[in-house]
Amino acid sequence: MSQSNAVDGGYGWIIVLASYGVFLEDFISNSRISGGTSLDFALIGGLSASQALVISPLITMIHRRFGLKATMALGVLFETTALLGASWSTRVWQLYLSQGVCFGWGLGLQYLSTTFIIPHWFSKKRSLAAGITTAGTGTGGLIYSLATHAMLDRFGSGWSYRILAIIQFVVNTICVLLLRDRMEKPRSERKKATFRLSLCKRYETWLFIGWSFFSVMGFMVIWYSLATYSRSIGLSASQGSIVTAVMNVGQILGRPAVGYFSDVVGRINMTTFATFTSGLLCLLLWVFAKTYSALLCFALFAGILFGTFWTVSRS
């Protein structure tokens, strides 16, 4: 295992994205955003994640031409602008543009620029390293979900968004300055990005894309809707935020474990087990989770297994 001097700043956006589930519940309960329905607010969260991946070819070109730090710095600016714009949004279309589109571009510029860094710093135990790295999502998500709920009660959604904008700007700026790409070459030696169309003819490529699509879609649905679902079965807003926090605790425990067992038994074997078990949990536990304790159990197991994609795809 080689010594790593890299600091992963890409997961700051996922932590901020995690807090949107708390905002989602607040938007539905209150009427600060005019013209918005529950479907609109849920769609905005999904739009953020989709935009981050849709612009990946553009991000690759920017990265190749201007380098890692410049690409991520642009992402930090997009995120800050998006969160500040969302804090002053009063209509749903404004939230679509800020929290949905602009924030999604910031997500992609930061996250997709860092996905390859961790494996370059390790010659062994790459899945474990990726699991430990992605466990930061759970740690930050735990803090952010509880803190956001407290800020919403005290300051309202506007100032809560502004506080998050300041925090993510400061933290991610520090990460960008400290981030180091082991394999980065001088600008004069960089090659143009190529796309191999022959890969589209291989069934393995489409199996991976299909698994990625359904895995991430399921994860995002759970992440965004768990707090709202808590309210739908009669739980309080405070209990809903605790459910989200427990899911983040599951990520802290689960992602290093998934990474470790991926190295031991193989990534495909671990991924198959985690995906199959996740489906059973949704069918046999979430469907029947009508009490606070049952939902806490589901949230814990969901946090442990549902984010497998983020661990194995980075290793």
Side-chain angles (χ1 to χ4, degrees):
M1 183 179 294
S2 59
Q3 183 179 3
S4 172
N5 292 318
V7 178
D8 187 2
Y11 268 86
W13 69 261
I14 298 184
I15 294 171
V16 176
L17 192 60
S19 65
Y20 181 71
V22 183
F23 280 107
L24 177 62
E25 191 275 332
D26 181 73
F27 290 149
I28 294 173
S29 301
N30 301 312
S31 56
R32 185 177 74 87
I33 306 297
S34 62
T37 65
S38 299
L39 180 60
D40 284 314
F41 297 133
L43 184 60
I44 288 169
L47 183 63
S48 295
S50 67
Q51 286 296 303
L53 302 178
V54 164
I55 65 170
S56 56
L58 176 61
I59 295 171
T60 301
M61 291 188 289
I62 296 174
H63 187 186
R64 292 269 182 172
R65 184 164 185 176
F66 299 104
L68 174 67
K69 291 190 175 182
T71 305
M72 291 194 65
L74 183 61
V76 174
L77 292 178
F78 268 105
E79 271 195 21
T80 305
T81 302
L83 292 173
L84 291 177
S87 71
W88 285 298
S89 296
T90 57
R91 298 180 180 274
V92 69
W93 66 266
Q94 296 170 342
L95 205 60
Y96 267 107
L97 292 179
S98 57
Q99 178 74 51
V101 178
C102 187
F103 190 78
W105 291 351
L107 306 187
L109 288 165
Q110 289 196 71
Y111 172 67
L112 295 178
S113 300
T114 62
T115 52
F116 66 93
I117 290 180
I118 295 300
H120 286 173
W121 285 97
F122 292 86
S123 57
K124 298 179 180 179
K125 307 291 185 182
R126 289 186 174 183
S127 293
L128 177 59
I132 294 173
T133 304
T134 56
T137 308
T139 307
L142 172 64
I143 297 171
Y144 267 56
S145 60
L146 296 176
T148 301
H149 176 72
M151 287 189 294
L152 285 171
D153 286 341
R154 183 169 183 178
F155 304 114
S157 58
W159 269 106
S160 296
Y161 262 124
R162 290 167 206 140
I163 293 171
L164 290 179
I166 295 170
I167 293 174
Q168 78 83 27
F169 178 80
V170 173
V171 173
N172 282 337
T173 298
I174 294 173
C175 289
V176 170
L177 294 176
L178 296 178
L179 198 64
R180 181 179 172 186
D181 181 5
R182 186 183 182 187
M183 306 297 289
E184 188 168 15
K185 298 179 180 179
R187 185 172 179 178
S188 58
E189 299 180 13
R190 294 174 191 163
K191 298 179 180 179
K192 293 183 178 180
T194 58
F195 183 76
R196 294 172 57 188
L197 292 174
S198 59
L199 292 176
C200 297
K201 300 178 181 180
R202 301 185 59 174
Y203 74 91
E204 297 96 333
T205 301
W206 292 104
L207 285 176
F208 177 76
I209 292 174
W211 170 74
S212 303
F213 173 81
F214 288 106
S215 179
V216 175
M217 180 181 67
F219 177 73
M220 290 298 177
V221 168
I222 297 295
W223 209 2
Y224 285 134
S225 64
L226 208 53
T228 305
Y229 176 78
S230 301
R231 295 299 298 273
S232 71
I233 62 174
L235 301 182
S236 65
S238 177
Q239 289 175 318
S241 66
I242 292 175
V243 169
T244 304
V246 169
M247 183 175 178
N248 289 310
V249 171
Q251 294 184 66
I252 299 172
L253 302 174
R255 294 195 177 184
V258 168
Y260 172 78
F261 285 109
S262 294
D263 289 322
V264 174
V265 303
R267 296 189 189 107
I268 293 179
N269 293 332
M270 186 62 207
T271 300
T272 301
F273 169 78
T275 304
F276 179 74
T277 307
S278 298
L280 288 180
L281 286 172
C282 289
L283 291 174
L284 301 180
L285 185 54
W286 190 21
V287 172
F288 302 102
K290 304 298 181 181
T291 63
Y292 186 39
S293 57
L295 198 58
L296 287 176
C297 290
F298 172 77
L300 179 62
F301 288 119
I304 292 174
L305 294 174
F306 284 21
T308 300
F309 170 82
W310 306 107
T311 300
V312 298
S313 66
R314 293 169 63 88
S315 56

